Amino acid sequence: QTSGARYGSKIDSTKDRDEPFSFVVGDDDVIAGLQEAVSTMRPGGVRRAYIPAALGYTLGKTAKQPVPPGFAEYQRWKNIYDNPNRPYQPDLVMDIKLFKFGAAKDAAS
């Protein structure tokens, strides 16, 4: 997945890192917009998702995934998306490729 602001530059790309992002649909740790975007996809499908601010931000709460792992990418994300002093929160744009659906890993194992 590659993410960025609707009218801005790329913030992060798991493709550039060659690390697919995985999550459990319905898990509260993932932004609602990403969950909605993949909920109607099929394995192998590709989609550009325009996620409105209301479904992509967690201001005043614990940050939800995906959060960029690199320092520079994280700082860009933090300054643009998780900044309560910013009067305008841009929509998110995510280019998503769904590789597969799988069973959730059991936390006990």
Side-chain angles (χ1 to χ4, degrees):
Q1 132 211 331
T2 300
S3 61
R6 178 175 249 176
Y7 302 110
S9 61
K10 177 170 58 173
I11 298 280
D12 184 45
S13 174
T14 57
K15 183 178 180 183
D16 292 349
R17 291 192 312 275
D18 198 27
E19 292 179 13
F21 178 71
S22 62
F23 65 96
V24 176
V25 175
D27 187 351
D28 285 340
D29 289 336
V30 179
I31 61 172
L34 180 58
Q35 294 197 45
E36 284 188 23
V38 300
S39 67
T40 57
M41 292 179 71
R42 294 178 186 216
V46 177
R47 173 173 293 168
R48 173 165 281 179
Y50 293 90
I51 301 173
L55 297 177
Y57 298 109
T58 57
L59 295 177
K61 303 174 187 172
T62 302
K64 293 188 179 188
Q65 298 295 326
V67 174
F71 180 75
E73 294 84 3
Y74 176 76
Q75 287 300 323
R76 278 196 301 271
W77 174 83
K78 186 78 173 163
N79 290 333
I80 294 172
Y81 297 113
D82 199 31
N83 185 349
N85 298 320
R86 191 177 176 98
Y88 165 71
Q89 298 295 328
D91 295 338
L92 298 171
V93 178
M94 291 189 173
D95 294 325
I96 303 166
K97 179 174 182 179
L98 182 63
F99 289 101
K100 66 180 179 176
F101 280 114
K105 293 182 179 178
D106 185 2
S109 58

